[in-house]
């Protein structure tokens, strides 16, 4: 089964990509990092994934804020200002010369030695990639996707806060592999207390008793930029919406469910662990996906 939102396959992505490193654009073939880079050796770093529309990045300010928070939490200092990162993003978008697309901003702790001591990494590696993102088809989006609960837990209270968008995505990758094996489209991750956290690369919302609910970030949900935008849009539209801890029972008995992320956009869910939602797409999804498209048009024009 195809993925919900995946960066394009290696060959295609390389051909049609833009990379920005050390202040200038380089080809994908020229863009290289050391085998001693701790991002590669240890997943020591963080990243942002964002979209651009009409050649303008959507909510880059929020992505840069979240990146700065991840960097502070990891104690990685980069010598680049937001203005410099923004000009890297702009250079990639201009190089792609497409109306819309997807970008990654990646920061690693940089080159060190084989030991894991971060002190031995002298300067962070920073790069930006623009590359195609293969999206779920309109037909599958209209039909809604299927979720299975993963055996992999989103760990909270371990000292490694899930709000840090680190380069280590093994929990998500293994969860997605389980979903693949089960023939489902996406994996649902619970936290170590058994509460709903999020999906492998998307936040989750349910509509129940006429209220829109989403797990709080303390339950292991990433502080998603799309999630934040939807909470704002719900408030503007008079839709009752709040953060609330959710269990599998809440999901199984919900009227509707959808997942959201910068890559995926908004996607309705029709089945969770074999239980059908009452409506897919549901009324909240319909209202908010229209409002989200309009928001993008307003902010990226
Ligand atoms: C684990 C996880 N949760 C949620 C999201 C959605 O966040 P955003 O809306 O900021 O893209 C992502 C996006 O990368 C993610 O990786």
């Amino acid at each position: 089964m195809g993925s919900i939102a995946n960066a394009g396959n290696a060959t295609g992505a390389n051909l049609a990509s833009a990379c920005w490193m050390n202040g200038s654009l380089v080809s994908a073939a020229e863009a290289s990092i050391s085998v001693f880079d701790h991002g590669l050796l240890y997943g020591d770093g963080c990243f942002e994934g964002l979209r651009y529309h009409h050649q303008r990045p959507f909510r880059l300010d929020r992505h840069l804020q979240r990146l700065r928070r991840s960097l502070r939490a990891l104690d990685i200092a980069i010598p680049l200002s937001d203005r410099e990162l923004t000009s890297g993003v702009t250079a990639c978008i201009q190089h792609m010369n497409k109306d819309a697309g997807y970008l990654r901003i990646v920061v690693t702790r940089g080159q060190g030695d084989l030991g894991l001591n971060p002190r031995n990494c002298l300067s962070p590696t920073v790069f930006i990639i623009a590359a195609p993102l293969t999206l779920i088809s309109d037909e599958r989006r209209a039909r809604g996707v299927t979720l299975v609960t993963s055996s992999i837990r989103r760990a909270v209270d371990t000292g490694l806060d899930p709000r840090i968008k680190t380069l280590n995505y093994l929990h998500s990758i293994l969860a997605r592999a389980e979903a693949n094996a089960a023939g489902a489209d996406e994996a649902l991750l619970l936290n170590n207390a058994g509460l709903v956290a999020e999906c492998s690369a998307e936040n989750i919302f349910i509509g129940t008793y006429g209220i829109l609910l989403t797990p709080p970030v303390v339950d292991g949900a990433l502080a998603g930029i799309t999630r934040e935008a939807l909470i704002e849009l719900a408030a503007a539209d008079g839709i009752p919406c709040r953060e609330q801890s959710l269990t599998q029972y809440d999901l199984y008995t919900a009227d509707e469910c959808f997942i959201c992320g910068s890559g995926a956009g908004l996607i309705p869910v029709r089945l969770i662990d074999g239980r059908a939602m009452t409506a897919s797409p549901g009324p909240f999804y319909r209202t908010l996906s229209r409002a989200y498209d309009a928001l993008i048009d307003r902010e990226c024009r």
Side-chain angles (χ1 to χ4, degrees), residues 35-187:
V35 292
F36 291 101
D37 193 294
H38 279 210
L40 170 66
L41 289 176
Y42 296 115
D44 186 358
C46 50
F47 76 101
E48 283 298 316
L50 61 147
R51 286 198 174 241
Y52 59 94
H53 305 265
H54 314 298
Q55 300 223 336
R56 294 184 57 186
F58 178 64
R59 298 209 159 176
L60 178 60
D61 56 338
R62 310 295 210 285
H63 284 279
L64 291 178
Q65 269 168 22
R66 188 170 65 186
L67 181 73
R68 296 276 174 200
R69 284 195 210 108
S70 295
L71 288 169
R72 285 173 67 188
L74 296 180
D75 197 19
I76 295 177
I78 57 168
L80 296 168
S81 64
D82 282 1
R83 189 187 284 256
E84 286 165 306
L85 290 171
T86 302
S87 62
V89 164
T90 308
C92 286
I93 293 174
Q94 283 171 352
H95 181 83
M96 293 301 280
N97 197 24
K98 287 204 163 78
D99 198 45
Y102 182 75
L103 292 155
R104 276 285 159 88
I105 306 173
V106 183
V107 180
T108 80
R109 199 173 299 273
Q111 184 175 337
D113 56 20
L114 279 185
L116 58 75
N117 195 338
R119 261 201 210 132
N120 297 330
C121 299
L122 295 180
S123 84
T125 305
V126 183
F127 56 93
I128 302 171
I129 312 169
L133 191 72
T134 311
L135 285 181
I136 178 176
S137 67
D138 289 346
E139 183 262 322
R140 273 179 66 213
R141 194 184 294 270
R143 212 154 43 96
V145 294
T146 59
L147 306 186
V148 283
T149 304
S150 169
S151 68
I152 307 286
R153 296 291 173 112
R154 193 80 169 100
V156 292
D157 298 334
T158 62
L160 181 60
D161 198 300
R163 280 173 289 188
I164 309 172
K165 197 164 162 56
T166 82
L167 287 177
N168 193 322
Y169 256 55
L170 277 178
H171 57 280
S172 285
I173 291 165
L174 294 180
R176 183 67 81 86
E178 279 188 342
N180 290 346
D185 297 306
E186 177 54 299

Side-chain angles (χ1 to χ4, degrees), residues 47-49 63 66 154 165 169 171-172 198-203 222-227 260-263:
F47 76 101
E48 283 298 316
H63 284 279
R66 188 170 65 186
R154 193 80 169 100
K165 197 164 162 56
Y169 256 55
H171 57 280
S172 285
E198 58 180 350
C199 289
S200 75
E202 302 87 18
N203 289 114
L222 184 76
I225 311 293
T226 320
R227 172 186 183 276
C260 67
S262 301

